[in-house]
Amino acid sequence: MLIYPFKYLKESVQVSINPSSRGEAIINQFSVADNHRYAELKSETQKQEFLWSRAALNAAEADLKNIKYQGKKPTIENAHISLSHCKEGVAAAFSEQLEVGIDIETKRENLVRIAQKFTTEDEIARFDSEPHTTLQFIWGIKESLFKLYGYGSVDFKTHLEITSFEWDPNIKQGWGIAWISQTCKERTQPIQCLVQTAMVGEHYLCMATHRIPTIPFESARTVLREWTPNDAPLLYELNMNPQVVRYTGDAGFTSTQCALNLIRNYPNYQRDGYGRWMVIDKSTGNPIGWCGLKNNQWGTDLDFRFLKAEWGKGIATECAEATIEKAKSLKLSSLIGRALSENIGSWKVLEKVGMHRYKSVGFEEFAEEFNIAEKDLDSWKGLMLHIYKLELT
Ligand SMILES: CC(C)(COP(=O)(O)OP(=O)(O)OC[C@H]1O[C@@H](n2cnc3c(N)ncnc32)[C@H](O)[C@@H]1OP(=O)(O)O)[C@@H](O)C(=O)NCCC(=O)NCCS
């Protein structure tokens, strides 16, 4: 039985670790290219390793008959595969949607000695696993990022950065966000990746995945696209206006650097395939706010936030409509909207786009689950939270 070892992306990536079959039987399923490659292998150890890796790929539901080679790298057309070996271990990942890199390691005693070559104090400080495990995972994550990148010439310390990481000691799994800043002619922009780690017996397993960004989509007057680091000043400006954040609960940012950190560590696109999108005014090309979706514990929520100068022009309504169409194309089954009773503009937008108010709860009931900034606690007393729903299927 295959057990998916990570927290996220179970639906999009198949992973197999140490399949019980290491056998010769898999040779029957080899592609022409793999037959050639296998015949070229000299040592018995190499042959065993090759067979076991193909058994792992097969267990990860990759069709071995489709394997070809790009240089020395096995590939499958219209899909992504990654393989990793270590002493007594093999791991394979296969995905039709996401680029993927996988790494499996046993304990490496030399990591402390070479740590400064592949990581930094700042990066280590983002991990709260015990010190050796931290170094193993940083190394493994960077190996998996390097494999995902796929075009050589990457410096682990300067081109690969893990910008956030969370570790759950109970299930021995972790996840975070990393950036590959190295570029080349095949990859002209830095890319953001979701990285995941797990302890599987004695093995340290790491996986990096990258999802191609959502293609920008339009409303009549705007374009909606993913946030980029260049959007930090706009996010800062939005959240620094007390009128804009009057009913949102956010504490605001202390600097544009904080807004930039939020963007760089924003996991939603890579993790869920959607998130809040930046709204660009078509007539000027300038960003004017954001609108979009968020995968919350209470469902997928629709929300929006615009610069004060843009209010009252029907922009939020048309962006919410475009977002609902997007949600349908993503095959989401329903959306939730939530707005405070005094935030009339917000709940009017939800009603205009066809959402149905099914509940209103008092401030005290939602205060705990909302992350409400100190400044809002008193001023929201006595308000109701209107909760809306829209079925999409
Ligand atoms: C809420 C917000 C997105 C509304 O954006 P907008 O672009 O002004 O909304 P629209 O122009 O599409 O207006 C939708 C409707 O609400 C009405 N409306 C907007 N602001 C209103 C207000 N302050 N009071 C009463 N009605 C208001 C509009 O008149 C319009 O109704 P109509 O078509 O019947 O005339 C915007 O005010 C905002 O960014 N606020 C700050 C962030 C925020 O609170 N986000 C929501 C968190 S739940």
Side-chain angles (χ1 to χ4, degrees):
M1 191 180 58
L2 267 187
I3 297 171
Y4 186 77
F6 301 118
K7 189 171 164 100
Y8 295 112
L9 303 181
K10 190 174 191 305
E11 310 305 319
S12 328
V13 190
Q14 279 76 47
V15 174
S16 130
I17 324 136
N18 301 342
S20 52
S21 141
R22 301 181 176 210
E24 299 273 323
I26 206 80
I27 293 179
N28 298 331
Q29 296 179 46
F30 277 4
S31 65
V32 177
D34 258 358
N35 268 323
H36 283 303
R37 182 53 55 102
Y38 185 65
E40 280 165 14
L41 297 175
K42 301 248 165 4
S43 78
E44 210 37 50
T45 324
Q46 280 178 321
K47 287 190 170 179
Q48 281 306 320
E49 216 171 62
F50 191 90
L51 286 177
W52 205 22
S53 75
R54 293 308 180 266
L57 260 184
N58 188 47
E61 293 176 17
D63 188 346
L64 301 187
K65 290 267 181 241
N66 293 335
I67 291 185
K68 292 183 178 151
Y69 282 82
Q70 258 171 19
K72 287 189 169 170
K73 200 177 156 198
T75 58
I76 292 185
E77 212 173 342
N78 298 325
H80 302 278
I81 55 175
S82 184
L83 286 168
S84 177
H85 299 276
C86 67
K87 194 164 160 274
E88 286 302 298
V90 63
F94 168 73
S95 176
E96 288 180 335
Q97 298 155 46
L98 307 176
E99 291 190 54
V100 63
I102 198 153
D103 183 69
I104 187 166
E105 306 266 347
T106 43
K107 191 165 183 181
R108 295 173 64 124
E109 299 296 348
N110 68 340
L111 285 183
V112 176
R113 194 164 45 77
I114 62 165
Q116 54 168 326
K117 291 210 168 96
F118 67 88
T119 186
T120 60
E121 290 298 321
D122 284 351
E123 202 168 46
I124 290 171
R126 289 176 197 131
F127 285 70
D128 53 10
S129 40
E130 78 51 52
H132 183 82
T133 310
T134 294
L135 287 183
Q136 285 279 165
F137 281 143
I138 293 179
W139 175 263
I141 288 170
K142 293 198 172 188
E143 280 283 350
S144 65
L145 290 164
F146 172 69
K147 286 187 183 167
L148 183 149
Y149 180 75
Y151 296 101
S153 181
V154 170
D155 181 277
F156 276 25
K157 187 165 176 169
T158 56
H159 295 143
L160 306 175
E161 189 188 4
I162 304 157
T163 51
S164 70
F165 193 79
E166 275 177 32
W167 171 248
D168 185 336
N170 297 321
I171 52 171
K172 296 192 171 179
Q173 287 181 359
W175 72 280
I177 286 295
W179 282 81
I180 303 176
S181 60
Q182 175 70 317
T183 55
C184 59
K185 81 174 180 326
E186 291 84 1
R187 294 193 188 274
T188 55
Q189 297 290 327
I191 59 169
Q192 194 198 36
C193 296
L194 186 76
V195 292
Q196 303 192 72
T197 65
M199 285 302 307
V200 182
E202 297 296 299
H203 288 123
Y204 300 83
L205 190 71
C206 297
M207 182 170 79
T209 48
H210 174 68
R211 194 190 289 272
I212 290 164
T214 300
I215 297 168
F217 58 101
E218 298 184 16
S219 72
R221 289 170 287 176
T222 75
V223 175
L224 289 87
R225 61 145 174 83
E226 291 190 357
W227 291 349
T228 74
N230 295 338
D231 296 321
L234 189 275
L235 280 197
Y236 179 71
E237 186 183 345
L238 264 181
N239 283 17
M240 288 313 283
N241 183 335
Q243 281 178 284
V244 173
V245 292
R246 168 80 182 83
Y247 300 112
T248 66
D250 290 335
F253 297 119
T254 48
S255 63
T256 43
Q257 184 60 42
C258 293
L260 181 65
N261 287 345
L262 176 101
I263 293 172
R264 281 174 63 76
N265 292 325
Y266 189 66
N268 304 42
Y269 306 136
Q270 290 300 327
R271 194 185 58 200
D272 308 323
Y274 56 83
R276 308 300 196 199
W277 291 294
M278 192 52 72
V279 176
I280 312 298
D281 180 343
K282 278 187 198 172
S283 68
T284 62
N286 294 330
I288 53 172
W290 58 254
C291 178
L293 306 169
K294 182 176 182 180
N295 189 2
N296 271 326
Q297 75 267 28
W298 55 80
T300 303
D301 116 328
L302 166 68
D303 202 359
F304 21 71
R305 191 175 299 182
F306 291 94
L307 293 172
K308 182 76 179 39
E310 304 298 327
W311 293 9
K313 300 180 190 170
I315 297 276
T317 305
E318 69 174 63
C319 289
E321 278 166 351
T323 299
I324 289 169
E325 287 312 305
K326 187 74 197 165
K328 286 183 190 163
S329 76
L330 291 165
K331 309 255 180 304
L332 298 176
S333 56
S334 63
L335 296 179
I336 302 284
R338 304 166 18 129
L340 283 170
S341 46
E342 262 187 23
N343 196 1
I344 302 168
S346 181
W347 59 256
K348 271 204 164 179
V349 173
L350 297 176
E351 291 186 357
K352 286 189 76 172
V353 300
M355 295 190 102
H356 152 73
R357 186 191 297 181
Y358 72 97
K359 204 156 86 170
S360 287
V361 291
F363 171 78
E364 288 73 17
E365 271 189 64
F366 66 83
E368 276 182 17
E369 66 170 275
F370 243 73
N371 197 7
I372 304 173
E374 236 1 72
K375 68 175 173 54
D376 294 319
L377 282 171
D378 268 350
S379 64
W380 286 9
K381 279 211 172 103
L383 297 190
M384 303 293 285
L385 181 74
H386 297 327
I387 306 179
Y388 289 81
K389 192 160 189 179
L390 182 68
E391 298 295 343
L392 300 176
T393 48

PDB file of all heavy atoms in Angstrom, residues 39 47 50 61 63 102 110 115 173 199 215 245 261 266 292 296 299 322 327 359 378:
ATOM      1  N   ALA A  39      21.260  -1.750 -20.227  1.00  0.00           N
ATOM      2  CA  ALA A  39      22.285  -2.609 -20.835  1.00  0.00           C
ATOM      3  C   ALA A  39      23.687  -2.009 -20.689  1.00  0.00           C
ATOM      4  O   ALA A  39      24.681  -2.730 -20.632  1.00  0.00           O
ATOM      5  CB  ALA A  39      21.963  -2.833 -22.312  1.00  0.00           C
ATOM      6  N   LYS A  47      22.948  -1.786 -11.378  1.00  0.00           N
ATOM      7  CA  LYS A  47      21.772  -2.450 -11.965  1.00  0.00           C
ATOM      8  C   LYS A  47      20.659  -2.593 -10.928  1.00  0.00           C
ATOM      9  O   LYS A  47      19.498  -2.325 -11.212  1.00  0.00           O
ATOM     10  CB  LYS A  47      22.160  -3.823 -12.510  1.00  0.00           C
ATOM     11  CG  LYS A  47      22.981  -3.722 -13.774  1.00  0.00           C
ATOM     12  CD  LYS A  47      23.137  -5.062 -14.424  1.00  0.00           C
ATOM     13  CE  LYS A  47      23.759  -4.831 -15.791  1.00  0.00           C
ATOM     14  NZ  LYS A  47      24.002  -5.982 -16.557  1.00  0.00           N
ATOM     15  N   PHE A  50      19.090   0.743 -10.327  1.00  0.00           N
ATOM     16  CA  PHE A  50      18.265   1.126 -11.472  1.00  0.00           C
ATOM     17  C   PHE A  50      16.906   0.407 -11.417  1.00  0.00           C
ATOM     18  O   PHE A  50      15.849   1.025 -11.564  1.00  0.00           O
ATOM     19  CB  PHE A  50      19.008   0.747 -12.763  1.00  0.00           C
ATOM     20  CG  PHE A  50      18.401   1.322 -14.008  1.00  0.00           C
ATOM     21  CD1 PHE A  50      18.796   2.562 -14.489  1.00  0.00           C
ATOM     22  CD2 PHE A  50      17.417   0.626 -14.723  1.00  0.00           C
ATOM     23  CE1 PHE A  50      18.239   3.099 -15.651  1.00  0.00           C
ATOM     24  CE2 PHE A  50      16.861   1.153 -15.874  1.00  0.00           C
ATOM     25  CZ  PHE A  50      17.273   2.388 -16.342  1.00  0.00           C
ATOM     26  N   GLU A  61       2.917   5.324 -10.028  1.00  0.00           N
ATOM     27  CA  GLU A  61       1.948   5.365 -11.134  1.00  0.00           C
ATOM     28  C   GLU A  61       2.474   5.998 -12.416  1.00  0.00           C
ATOM     29  O   GLU A  61       1.703   6.442 -13.264  1.00  0.00           O
ATOM     30  CB  GLU A  61       0.637   6.043 -10.699  1.00  0.00           C
ATOM     31  CG  GLU A  61      -0.093   5.196  -9.677  1.00  0.00           C
ATOM     32  CD  GLU A  61      -1.341   5.856  -9.128  1.00  0.00           C
ATOM     33  OE1 GLU A  61      -1.826   6.813  -9.748  1.00  0.00           O
ATOM     34  OE2 GLU A  61      -1.811   5.388  -8.082  1.00  0.00           O
ATOM     35  N   ASP A  63       4.062   5.638 -16.085  1.00  0.00           N
ATOM     36  CA  ASP A  63       4.099   4.567 -17.077  1.00  0.00           C
ATOM     37  C   ASP A  63       5.532   4.452 -17.613  1.00  0.00           C
ATOM     38  O   ASP A  63       5.998   5.316 -18.362  1.00  0.00           O
ATOM     39  CB  ASP A  63       3.109   4.896 -18.210  1.00  0.00           C
ATOM     40  CG  ASP A  63       2.973   3.728 -19.174  1.00  0.00           C
ATOM     41  OD1 ASP A  63       3.812   2.808 -19.113  1.00  0.00           O
ATOM     42  OD2 ASP A  63       2.026   3.747 -19.984  1.00  0.00           O
ATOM     43  N   ILE A 102      12.682  15.343  -5.818  1.00  0.00           N
ATOM     44  CA  ILE A 102      12.589  14.575  -4.569  1.00  0.00           C
ATOM     45  C   ILE A 102      13.980  14.183  -4.106  1.00  0.00           C
ATOM     46  O   ILE A 102      14.903  14.051  -4.923  1.00  0.00           O
ATOM     47  CB  ILE A 102      11.660  13.346  -4.741  1.00  0.00           C
ATOM     48  CG1 ILE A 102      11.223  12.825  -3.376  1.00  0.00           C
ATOM     49  CG2 ILE A 102      12.319  12.221  -5.569  1.00  0.00           C
ATOM     50  CD1 ILE A 102       9.904  12.106  -3.384  1.00  0.00           C
ATOM     51  N   ASN A 110      28.534  14.589   8.268  1.00  0.00           N
ATOM     52  CA  ASN A 110      29.396  15.733   7.941  1.00  0.00           C
ATOM     53  C   ASN A 110      28.649  17.059   7.769  1.00  0.00           C
ATOM     54  O   ASN A 110      29.251  18.076   7.492  1.00  0.00           O
ATOM     55  CB  ASN A 110      30.175  15.438   6.654  1.00  0.00           C
ATOM     56  CG  ASN A 110      29.248  15.393   5.437  1.00  0.00           C
ATOM     57  OD1 ASN A 110      28.041  15.223   5.582  1.00  0.00           O
ATOM     58  ND2 ASN A 110      29.811  15.555   4.248  1.00  0.00           N
ATOM     59  N   ALA A 115      27.986  22.979   6.854  1.00  0.00           N
ATOM     60  CA  ALA A 115      26.741  23.776   6.884  1.00  0.00           C
ATOM     61  C   ALA A 115      26.900  25.147   6.241  1.00  0.00           C
ATOM     62  O   ALA A 115      26.059  25.589   5.456  1.00  0.00           O
ATOM     63  CB  ALA A 115      26.230  23.911   8.309  1.00  0.00           C
ATOM     64  N   GLN A 173       6.489  15.707  10.201  1.00  0.00           N
ATOM     65  CA  GLN A 173       6.378  16.254   8.847  1.00  0.00           C
ATOM     66  C   GLN A 173       6.528  17.769   8.914  1.00  0.00           C
ATOM     67  O   GLN A 173       6.155  18.379   9.914  1.00  0.00           O
ATOM     68  CB  GLN A 173       5.010  15.929   8.240  1.00  0.00           C
ATOM     69  CG  GLN A 173       4.848  14.482   7.853  1.00  0.00           C
ATOM     70  CD  GLN A 173       3.477  14.210   7.240  1.00  0.00           C
ATOM     71  OE1 GLN A 173       2.642  15.093   7.120  1.00  0.00           O
ATOM     72  NE2 GLN A 173       3.259  12.970   6.876  1.00  0.00           N
ATOM     73  N   MET A 199      10.077  12.434   8.069  1.00  0.00           N
ATOM     74  CA  MET A 199      10.937  11.340   8.509  1.00  0.00           C
ATOM     75  C   MET A 199      10.192  10.067   8.155  1.00  0.00           C
ATOM     76  O   MET A 199       9.042   9.889   8.553  1.00  0.00           O
ATOM     77  CB  MET A 199      11.110  11.356  10.034  1.00  0.00           C
ATOM     78  CG  MET A 199      12.014  12.393  10.626  1.00  0.00           C
ATOM     79  SD  MET A 199      13.717  12.394  10.041  1.00  0.00           S
ATOM     80  CE  MET A 199      14.269  10.718  10.287  1.00  0.00           C
ATOM     81  N   ILE A 215      -2.655  31.836 -15.126  1.00  0.00           N
ATOM     82  CA  ILE A 215      -2.620  32.798 -16.240  1.00  0.00           C
ATOM     83  C   ILE A 215      -3.510  33.978 -15.853  1.00  0.00           C
ATOM     84  O   ILE A 215      -4.637  33.781 -15.384  1.00  0.00           O
ATOM     85  CB  ILE A 215      -3.132  32.123 -17.536  1.00  0.00           C
ATOM     86  CG1 ILE A 215      -2.181  30.981 -17.900  1.00  0.00           C
ATOM     87  CG2 ILE A 215      -3.261  33.128 -18.682  1.00  0.00           C
ATOM     88  CD1 ILE A 215      -2.714  30.054 -18.965  1.00  0.00           C
ATOM     89  N   VAL A 245      -8.407  49.237   6.306  1.00  0.00           N
ATOM     90  CA  VAL A 245      -8.359  48.059   7.189  1.00  0.00           C
ATOM     91  C   VAL A 245      -9.331  48.173   8.382  1.00  0.00           C
ATOM     92  O   VAL A 245      -9.271  47.372   9.306  1.00  0.00           O
ATOM     93  CB  VAL A 245      -6.916  47.765   7.689  1.00  0.00           C
ATOM     94  CG1 VAL A 245      -6.039  47.306   6.544  1.00  0.00           C
ATOM     95  CG2 VAL A 245      -6.309  48.979   8.380  1.00  0.00           C
ATOM     96  N   ASN A 261       7.970  40.324   2.705  1.00  0.00           N
ATOM     97  CA  ASN A 261       8.061  38.999   3.343  1.00  0.00           C
ATOM     98  C   ASN A 261       6.769  38.227   3.176  1.00  0.00           C
ATOM     99  O   ASN A 261       6.779  37.021   2.917  1.00  0.00           O
ATOM    100  CB  ASN A 261       8.377  39.122   4.839  1.00  0.00           C
ATOM    101  CG  ASN A 261       9.807  39.542   5.058  1.00  0.00           C
ATOM    102  OD1 ASN A 261      10.630  39.470   4.138  1.00  0.00           O
ATOM    103  ND2 ASN A 261      10.111  40.020   6.245  1.00  0.00           N
ATOM    104  N   TYR A 266       4.112  33.741   0.777  1.00  0.00           N
ATOM    105  CA  TYR A 266       2.697  33.453   0.531  1.00  0.00           C
ATOM    106  C   TYR A 266       2.583  32.052  -0.092  1.00  0.00           C
ATOM    107  O   TYR A 266       3.040  31.832  -1.210  1.00  0.00           O
ATOM    108  CB  TYR A 266       2.152  34.512  -0.426  1.00  0.00           C
ATOM    109  CG  TYR A 266       0.656  34.499  -0.619  1.00  0.00           C
ATOM    110  CD1 TYR A 266      -0.196  34.808   0.424  1.00  0.00           C
ATOM    111  CD2 TYR A 266       0.103  34.178  -1.852  1.00  0.00           C
ATOM    112  CE1 TYR A 266      -1.566  34.804   0.242  1.00  0.00           C
ATOM    113  CE2 TYR A 266      -1.269  34.176  -2.036  1.00  0.00           C
ATOM    114  CZ  TYR A 266      -2.095  34.489  -0.985  1.00  0.00           C
ATOM    115  OH  TYR A 266      -3.450  34.480  -1.168  1.00  0.00           O
ATOM    116  N   GLY A 292      -9.792  37.872  -4.463  1.00  0.00           N
ATOM    117  CA  GLY A 292      -9.466  36.466  -4.717  1.00  0.00           C
ATOM    118  C   GLY A 292      -9.980  35.518  -3.666  1.00  0.00           C
ATOM    119  O   GLY A 292     -10.875  35.846  -2.879  1.00  0.00           O
ATOM    120  N   ASN A 296      -9.647  28.313   3.556  1.00  0.00           N
ATOM    121  CA  ASN A 296      -9.719  28.444   5.009  1.00  0.00           C
ATOM    122  C   ASN A 296     -10.286  27.194   5.640  1.00  0.00           C
ATOM    123  O   ASN A 296     -10.868  26.362   4.958  1.00  0.00           O
ATOM    124  CB  ASN A 296     -10.704  29.570   5.361  1.00  0.00           C
ATOM    125  CG  ASN A 296      -9.998  30.893   5.436  1.00  0.00           C
ATOM    126  OD1 ASN A 296      -8.853  30.957   5.841  1.00  0.00           O
ATOM    127  ND2 ASN A 296     -10.679  31.940   5.039  1.00  0.00           N
ATOM    128  N   GLY A 299     -13.869  26.817   4.691  1.00  0.00           N
ATOM    129  CA  GLY A 299     -14.217  26.707   3.265  1.00  0.00           C
ATOM    130  C   GLY A 299     -13.343  27.640   2.445  1.00  0.00           C
ATOM    131  O   GLY A 299     -12.405  28.229   2.963  1.00  0.00           O
ATOM    132  N   ALA A 322     -15.497  38.052 -11.726  1.00  0.00           N
ATOM    133  CA  ALA A 322     -14.434  37.354 -12.470  1.00  0.00           C
ATOM    134  C   ALA A 322     -13.832  36.235 -11.616  1.00  0.00           C
ATOM    135  O   ALA A 322     -13.503  35.152 -12.111  1.00  0.00           O
ATOM    136  CB  ALA A 322     -13.346  38.344 -12.884  1.00  0.00           C
ATOM    137  N   ALA A 327     -13.203  30.509  -9.981  1.00  0.00           N
ATOM    138  CA  ALA A 327     -13.439  29.430  -9.005  1.00  0.00           C
ATOM    139  C   ALA A 327     -14.172  28.268  -9.665  1.00  0.00           C
ATOM    140  O   ALA A 327     -13.889  27.096  -9.390  1.00  0.00           O
ATOM    141  CB  ALA A 327     -14.243  29.967  -7.826  1.00  0.00           C
ATOM    142  N   LYS A 359     -26.234  33.241   7.633  1.00  0.00           N
ATOM    143  CA  LYS A 359     -26.026  33.328   9.074  1.00  0.00           C
ATOM    144  C   LYS A 359     -25.470  34.697   9.434  1.00  0.00           C
ATOM    145  O   LYS A 359     -24.708  35.284   8.668  1.00  0.00           O
ATOM    146  CB  LYS A 359     -25.011  32.260   9.479  1.00  0.00           C
ATOM    147  CG  LYS A 359     -25.087  31.818  10.913  1.00  0.00           C
ATOM    148  CD  LYS A 359     -24.506  30.429  11.124  1.00  0.00           C
ATOM    149  CE  LYS A 359     -23.020  30.456  11.343  1.00  0.00           C
ATOM    150  NZ  LYS A 359     -22.434  29.219  11.758  1.00  0.00           N
ATOM    151  N   ASP A 378     -12.113  46.690  20.622  1.00  0.00           N
ATOM    152  CA  ASP A 378     -13.132  47.530  21.249  1.00  0.00           C
ATOM    153  C   ASP A 378     -14.127  48.066  20.238  1.00  0.00           C
ATOM    154  O   ASP A 378     -15.331  48.019  20.437  1.00  0.00           O
ATOM    155  CB  ASP A 378     -12.463  48.717  21.957  1.00  0.00           C
ATOM    156  CG  ASP A 378     -12.191  48.360  23.400  1.00  0.00           C
ATOM    157  OD1 ASP A 378     -12.699  47.298  23.825  1.00  0.00           O
ATOM    158  OD2 ASP A 378     -11.467  49.127  24.073  1.00  0.00           O
TER     159      ASP A 378
END
